Amino acid sequence: MEENKPWALVADVLGEGGHLQALAHVLQQHFTIICHRDFLKDPALHGPKVQALLMWKYLPAAEPALLRLLPALRVVSSGGVGIDHLDVAFINSLGVKVANTPGVVADATADLAMTLLLASARQLLEGHRIARDPMTLSLPQDLMGHEVTGATLGIVGMGEVGYKVAQRSKGFDMEVMYHNRNRRSREEEQAVGATYCQSLDELLRRSDFLVVAVKLTPDTVGLIGRRELSLMKRSATLVNVSRGVVVDQEALVRALRAGTIRAAALDVTHPEPLPRDHPLLRLPNALITPHMGINTYATARRILQRVVDNAAAAVRGLPVPNEVTRPNL
Amino acid sequence: MSHLRYVRCVKKLWALAQRLWVFKTTAQRHQKVMEEEKPWALISEVGGDGLLEDVTDVLTRHFHIISHRDFLQNPRLHGPRIRAVFQWNAQPVAEPALLALLPSLKVVANGGVGVDHLDVGYINSVGVKVTNTPAVVSSATADMAMGLLLASARRIVEGHQVAVDPKAAAPIANNLLGVEVTGSTLGIIGMGDIGYKIAQRSKGFDMKILYHNRKRRSVEDERAVGATYCPNVDELLQGSDFVMVAVNLTPETTGLIGHRELLLMKPTATLVNVSRGLVVDQDALVKALLCGSIRAAALDVTHPEPLPRDHPLLSLPNVLITPHVGTHTYATTRRMVQMMADSALAVIQGQVVPNEVTAK
C-alpha cells in the first residue's frame, strides 16, 4: 500500500547512502520518504505531495524558502527536545503544527554530561594521546586529574536532564546543589540528595563541577558570562549540554586562558560547528564534542519513532502527542 | 613606682625572659634532635618517573629521603642508614641486589594496592615487611573505570577529534553513534573494594549489574547496589553489554580474559580493564577487536606498560588506552603517600602495622 502512505521530507542522512539509513525503516512505517537532496531535483513535482517535514539535527531547515514549496504541509516534526531553531509562531501561522520529542532524550544527554565531566576531570583524552604517542617510553607520573568522588556538583537547570545528572552523580558521593527557576519537591530533592540554591552566585562559588542543563530562552542567553566565570573556583570545571549561546564563548576563552576556571567540556557551541580557527578548538583545557548528546543507536531510534508518531497523528488530523504551541516555554 | 616594686618587676621580667629563652632553645634543640632522629628512606626520585614533588612534604615530615641516584653515589655510606624503601611505580626495584645494600631495612612500603611486582615471600625472608595502600585507591580507580566505560560507549575521543579537526568539512557528527549506557547490563568480574564502588556508581545509570567473584557478597551488599551474583563467569560474559575487570593479579587471574571469554561476549559489548594488563590475553583481544567479536575495549592497564610503540592495540580505532592513571588525582596521591609514611613509621617504631601484606 505504498501509494497510500503520505509523503515526508527528511534530511539526507536518513536517505539512501546516508549515515542513518539503517533507521529509515522507522519512518517508512507510516511515510513514503524523500530526502532533501532528491526533493531539490524537482521541487515543483515533489512539493505538493509532502505532508510532513521530519527534522533531524536541524535539517532540513524549516525556513520560509522551503516551507513555501510545501503547500500541503501539515506538520514540522523535529527530533530532539530543543525548539530554539524553529520559528514556531511563523510555522503555526501557515497552518502547520510543530512537534518535538521530550522524554526520550534525557537519559542519553545525562550520560554524556557525566562522560564529559569524568573525561575532563581525569584527563582521559590527554591520557589516551600520551598512551599512543610514539615518543612515550615510560608512564607519565605527572599526569594528574581532579577527584570526582566527594566533589561538589552544581547543576544549573534541574529539568529532566539536570535531574538525571543528579541521579548519576549520587553514586559518586558527590555533594549535589542545584539552581532552577522552580524548586523541586522535597521528595525529589531527597531522592538524589540535592540542595536547592536560591542564588546562582552561591552555586557558582561552591561548585567543583558546574553542569549547565537549561533550555535556551531569552533569559538563559549568556547565562554564564564573564561575571559568573569569575565567581567560580579556579579549580572548577564547566560542563555545558544546553545550547552554545547559554555560555558567553568569548568570556569563556578568556577565562580558560587566564586560569579563572580549570577547564571546560562542551557538547554544544555557537555556531555548530565552530569555525576551524576558533580559539576554543586549540585550548588544552577545553574538551569539545560535536553535539552528540543523543548519539546512541537506541536513543536515535526512540527519537525517530516519536518523530514519526507525532507526524502520523498530525497528518491524520488526530491530537499530536508532543505538539509545541508556545515557543520558549 | 617605688624602688622595691621596680626591682621586683625587673626580677620577674628577667625570670620570664630566661624561661622563654630556655623554652626557645629547648624547642630548637628538640627540633634539631627530631630532625636527626628522622629515619632515612630510599625513593626512586622526586619528579620525573618518581614521586610527585607536591606530595614529598608528606614524607619529609617524618623521613630523610634519598633518591636512588644519590644513593648509588655511595651505597656503603647511605645503605646502613636506610630503614624504609618507598616504592612508587614499582621503583626502586626491590631485588636482592638492592636489599643486600640495606642491612637496616625494615619495610618496603608500596604506593598502590597491587603488589604483584614484589616477591613478598623473599622480602619477608630477609626480615623486611611489605605494606601497600588498599582502600585509599578505590574511589579514584572506580571513577576512572566509569570514565573509561562512558568515554568508550559514547565515542568521546572520536567526537573530540571531529570537533577540533582543522581540516574537517564541518559535519555535525551524525554518524558517530555510540551505545546506550543507561539501562544496559554491566558485568563486574572482581567485586572487591574497587568492583563494589563501580557497582555503586553504575546504579545511578539504571544499569543492570551482574558480578562474579571468588566469594559471594552478602545479601545486604548485593541489594544495596542491585547486583546479581553469577557463579559461572560464562553467564556474565554472555549477558553483559559492558564487562568490567577489577581483579587482583594472581596466578589464577592471569589470562582470565582470553579467546574463549571474548567469543562468549556479545559483539556489541565493551571490555574495560582496570586490573593489570596480564589479566587479559592481549593477542586474543587484538584478534577479537579486529574481527568484531566485541565492539570495543577501554584499558587503563596493559602489559608491558607502556606498550611497544608498534603494538596493534595502539592503532585500533575502537580501543581507548590510558597510561595507568587510575589513582592519579592530587587528593588520592597525597592520601596514598600519607598511608605509606604511616605504615613505614609503624614498622620502624615497632607498633601494630596497618596494611601489611604477607606471602600467601
Side-chain angles (χ1 to χ4, degrees), chain B residues 286-360:
Chain B
V286 170
K287 286 203 194 76
L289 289 163
L290 282 171
C291 69
S293 302
I294 67 171
R295 183 196 73 92
L299 317 169
D300 188 43
V301 287
T302 60
H303 182 77
E305 286 174 337
L307 288 168
R309 297 296 84 195
D310 59 355
H311 197 282
L313 277 175
L314 298 183
S315 54
L316 289 173
N318 47 353
V319 176
L320 168 58
I321 303 187
T322 46
H324 205 153
V325 288
T327 62
H328 282 215
T329 69
Y330 293 104
T332 291
T333 300
R334 206 156 230 289
R335 278 187 218 117
M336 286 166 72
V337 176
Q338 185 65 62
M339 194 179 265
M340 289 160 73
D342 292 345
S343 297
L345 272 176
V347 172
I348 290 167
Q349 290 166 359
Q351 291 160 0
V352 171
V353 182
N355 311 310
E356 182 176 359
V357 182
T358 49
K360 289 189 179 60

Side-chain angles (χ1 to χ4, degrees), chain A residues 228-263:
Chain A
E228 289 70 29
L229 292 162
S230 71
L231 288 173
M232 287 171 69
K233 295 183 184 181
R234 292 185 74 83
S235 55
T237 306
L238 173 72
V239 178
N240 186 13
V241 292
S242 311
R243 284 290 183 269
V245 292
V246 170
V247 172
D248 176 343
Q249 274 177 187
E250 276 177 53
L252 178 60
V253 169
R254 265 184 250 118
L256 289 170
R257 279 194 179 131
T260 309
I261 63 172
R262 183 194 71 86

Side-chain angles (χ1 to χ4, degrees), chain B residues 116-359:
Chain B
D116 47 276
H117 58 284
L118 290 171
D119 187 341
V120 179
Y122 167 70
I123 297 170
N124 286 166
S125 76
V126 297
V128 177
K129 290 185 193 279
V130 175
T131 65
N132 65 348
T133 61
V136 75
V137 300
S138 304
S139 291
T141 308
D143 290 351
M144 191 70 193
M146 293 305 294
L148 286 170
L149 185 156
L150 285 161
S152 174
R154 297 304 298 269
R155 304 177 69 180
I156 291 300
V157 175
E158 290 167 276
H160 183 70
Q161 279 165 356
V162 164
V164 305
D165 185 353
K167 298 187 301 298
I172 297 173
N174 279 316
N175 53 326
L176 266 182
L177 290 183
V179 292
E180 201 83 29
V181 170
T182 294
S184 64
T185 300
L186 172 65
I188 303 176
I189 302 179
M191 195 72 142
D193 227 21
I194 293 170
Y196 194 73
K197 281 185 188 275
I198 292 169
Q200 284 172 321
R201 280 146 183 71
S202 50
K203 183 164 181 268
F205 293 79
D206 288 333
M207 293 178 94
K208 182 173 167 207
I209 302 168
L210 308 172
Y211 80 99
H212 177 78
N213 202 41
R214 269 175 316 184
K215 284 194 306 263
R216 187 170 174 169
R217 284 247 177 186
S218 71
V219 172
E220 296 79 44
D221 278 355
E222 288 180 354
R223 214 173 272 154
V225 296
T228 305
Y229 182 60
C230 275
N232 183 343
V233 76
D234 288 5
E235 199 190 321
L236 181 149
L237 294 166
Q238 285 165 324
S240 297
D241 301 302
F242 297 90
V243 174
M244 175 72 70
V245 188
V247 296
N248 275 340
L249 179 62
T250 66
E252 292 79 45
T253 62
T254 301
L256 183 67
I257 307 294
H259 280 296
R260 190 183 155 279
E261 289 71 30
L262 292 162
L263 272 176
L264 285 170
M265 284 171 65
K266 296 182 184 181
T268 51
T270 307
L271 177 72
V272 184
N273 187 12
V274 293
S275 311
R276 284 289 182 268
L278 284 170
V279 172
V280 173
D281 176 343
Q282 277 176 185
D283 291 337
L285 178 61
V286 170
K287 286 203 194 76
L289 289 163
L290 282 171
C291 69
S293 302
I294 67 171
R295 183 196 73 92
L299 317 169
D300 188 43
V301 287
T302 60
H303 182 77
E305 286 174 337
L307 288 168
R309 297 296 84 195
D310 59 355
H311 197 282
L313 277 175
L314 298 183
S315 54
L316 289 173
N318 47 353
V319 176
L320 168 58
I321 303 187
T322 46
H324 205 153
V325 288
T327 62
H328 282 215
T329 69
Y330 293 104
T332 291
T333 300
R334 206 156 230 289
R335 278 187 218 117
M336 286 166 72
V337 176
Q338 185 65 62
M339 194 179 265
M340 289 160 73
D342 292 345
S343 297
L345 272 176
V347 172
I348 290 167
Q349 290 166 359
Q351 291 160 0
V352 171
V353 182
N355 311 310
E356 182 176 359
V357 182
T358 49

Side-chain angles (χ1 to χ4, degrees), chain B residues 1-11:
Chain B
M1 199 192 286
S2 76
H3 176 75
L4 197 57
R5 286 221 325 254
Y6 175 77
V7 167
R8 272 196 218 131
C9 204
V10 167
K11 274 187 181 167

